[in-house]
Amino acid sequence: MKSFTSVFEQYRWNDIKSRLETVTPADVERSLHKTSRTIDDFLNLISSAAAGKLEVMAGMAQRLTQKRFGKTIQLYAPLYLSNECQNICTYCGFSLDNPIKRKTLSDTELMIEASVLKSMSVNHVLLVSGEANKTVGISCFVNAVKLLKPHFANISIEVQPLSEVEYGQLHEVGVNAVLVYQETYHQEVYKEYHPKGRKSNFGFRLETPDRIGSAGIHKIGLGVLLGLEDWRVDSFFNALHIDYLQKQYWKSKFSVSFPRLRPAEGIIEPNFIMSDKDLLQLICAYRIWNEDLEISISTRENETFRNHIISLGATAMSAASKTNPGGYAVDRQSLEQFETSDERSMEEIKSIIRKAGYDPVMKDWDTVYSGV
């Protein structure tokens, strides 16, 4: 099977870093004035040379987003199935070497959590789990989707990388989107962050979106963990990955998320600090480069940043998030994967969106079968 690996191997981390350092203001101007942009234009727009054009980029991002998506923000909430994990990851509270109480929701507990989300009018739920293949695997995910499908219009999932056959099973039971993050594309240091577990296999994780696309999943979500390595280089490779996938799996939609490293039990401090201004530049660059890309902002970000990004490129936001299994009702004290920054309620977020002149959308889409 053809995969992104063949494209990835044509590039070198240090070469991209050097290219970013040599971008000039004139290069940025040329990229901004194009009507159709390439991955090289994206590189120009995330360079430090483009930082002085942030106001121009923000205006362009706003216009392009409204043209393609209107003035709407889709709202969703995560539902954590388990904090069990067989990986050691130096940045994650769920890491195997973190001596904390592990919990996996029972069917009854899952439905209690779901009922709380439904009481908040949530209709799009993101199922999340630690990576424990032996105890929390495909049968667990299929079961959870089947239980939840009658109650939610849209189910996405963010779990360990699976096989193409397993993604096909998720597609069959109604999963709309699968999110998977490479964390960092810096292959030379990847093992340092993932010293043990299946996640330490860089190549297997790199080819996961190919397996998702081959299985016919409606939407594929990508991202990197901002703070591990140089955000500009990592973001270039993430965009390169999206560029390849859109050409290869053109029937699927694509989204990008921007998780910045947040405090959690027993994790490392960020190696690279990414400011709010940097993150805004990155979001605007993605929008200017790719008008069709969905852009998702999580509650990792602070209230002020989330308030402003509503009109500057975002198309989806999580709200009222709990990042621990049972966090909404069943077991509020179980270990969080990371601390959230924006702790406002769903209703508060909806109000903020309306005040910005946008419409909060609780339901993404319906699959309509005609003539069947």
Side-chain angles (χ1 to χ4, degrees), residues 16 23 58 80 88 153 205 219 255 271 273 291 329 338 358:
I16 298 304
V23 174
Y80 276 67
I88 292 180
R205 196 169 190 91
K219 186 190 301 181
S255 69
N271 287 335
I273 302 299
E291 297 181 24
F338 58 87
Y358 283 66

Side-chain angles (χ1 to χ4, degrees), residues 143-216:
N143 176 65
V145 174
K146 286 182 176 179
L147 288 172
L148 296 172
K149 191 61 180 177
H151 307 283
F152 295 93
N154 192 301
I155 298 178
S156 302
I157 194 164
E158 182 184 333
V159 297
Q160 68 264 32
L162 302 170
S163 68
E164 182 180 335
V165 171
E166 289 169 328
Y167 284 125
Q169 291 177 260
L170 293 177
H171 181 53
E172 288 176 7
V173 295
V175 167
N176 173 57
V178 177
L179 284 62
V180 61
Y181 304 143
Q182 188 66 26
E183 314 298 11
T184 179
Y185 287 85
H186 197 334
Q187 188 171 6
E188 287 75 14
V189 300
Y190 182 88
K191 185 74 173 180
E192 296 174 15
Y193 297 114
H194 312 95
K196 183 177 180 180
R198 195 175 187 182
K199 194 170 182 177
S200 64
N201 188 330
F202 179 88
F204 183 77
R205 196 169 190 91
L206 189 69
E207 294 182 349
T208 300
D210 280 288
R211 298 192 296 275
I212 299 170
S214 295

Side-chain angles (χ1 to χ4, degrees), residues 186-350:
H186 197 334
Q187 188 171 6
E188 287 75 14
V189 300
Y190 182 88
K191 185 74 173 180
E192 296 174 15
Y193 297 114
H194 312 95
K196 183 177 180 180
R198 195 175 187 182
K199 194 170 182 177
S200 64
N201 188 330
F202 179 88
F204 183 77
R205 196 169 190 91
L206 189 69
E207 294 182 349
T208 300
D210 280 288
R211 298 192 296 275
I212 299 170
S214 295
I217 296 291
H218 177 72
K219 186 190 301 181
I220 305 172
L222 281 79
V224 293
L225 185 54
L226 300 165
L228 290 184
E229 292 296 322
D230 187 319
W231 69 265
R232 289 186 166 91
V233 184
D234 252 336
S235 296
F236 170 83
F237 279 102
N238 193 63
L240 182 71
H241 205 163
I242 293 170
D243 188 58
Y244 157 83
L245 291 167
Q246 284 186 313
K247 294 170 182 174
Q248 188 73 13
Y249 308 103
W250 52 271
K251 291 184 179 180
S252 295
K253 289 185 177 181
F254 294 87
S255 69
V256 62
S257 300
F258 305 88
R260 279 194 285 187
L261 195 57
R262 290 281 301 157
E265 185 76 21
I267 70 164
I268 61 170
E269 291 296 313
N271 287 335
F272 293 81
I273 302 299
M274 186 185 203
S275 68
D276 286 357
K277 186 176 179 181
D278 291 336
L279 182 53
L280 178 59
Q281 179 184 349
L282 178 59
I283 292 171
C284 291
Y286 267 112
R287 173 57 65 231
I288 294 168
W289 167 63
N290 192 324
E291 297 181 24
D292 294 325
L293 191 63
E294 298 185 19
I295 291 177
S296 180
I297 308 297
S298 79
T299 53
R300 287 176 181 259
E301 301 307 326
N302 63 64
E303 296 180 7
T304 301
F305 185 87
R306 277 166 53 93
N307 289 352
H308 286 93
I309 204 63
I310 289 169
S311 62
L312 296 177
T315 61
M317 299 176 72
S318 58
S321 301
K322 301 298 181 185
T323 65
N324 50 326
Y328 295 105
V330 171
D331 188 357
R332 292 187 174 93
Q333 301 306 312
S334 66
L335 177 78
E336 295 179 316
Q337 187 178 27
F338 58 87
E339 292 180 11
T340 57
S341 184
D342 187 348
E343 298 183 354
R344 291 173 294 182
S345 69
M346 185 67 70
E347 287 304 315
E348 288 178 290
I349 296 299
K350 287 162 72 173

Side-chain angles (χ1 to χ4, degrees), residues 4-16 19 39-40 43 187-188 236-237 240 243:
F4 176 64
T5 299
S6 60
V7 176
F8 178 76
E9 290 176 344
Q10 298 175 33
Y11 295 81
R12 294 290 179 268
W13 180 276
N14 288 335
D15 291 343
I16 298 304
R19 284 178 58 189
I39 190 67
D40 292 324
L43 183 145
Q187 188 171 6
E188 287 75 14
F236 170 83
F237 279 102
L240 182 71
D243 188 58

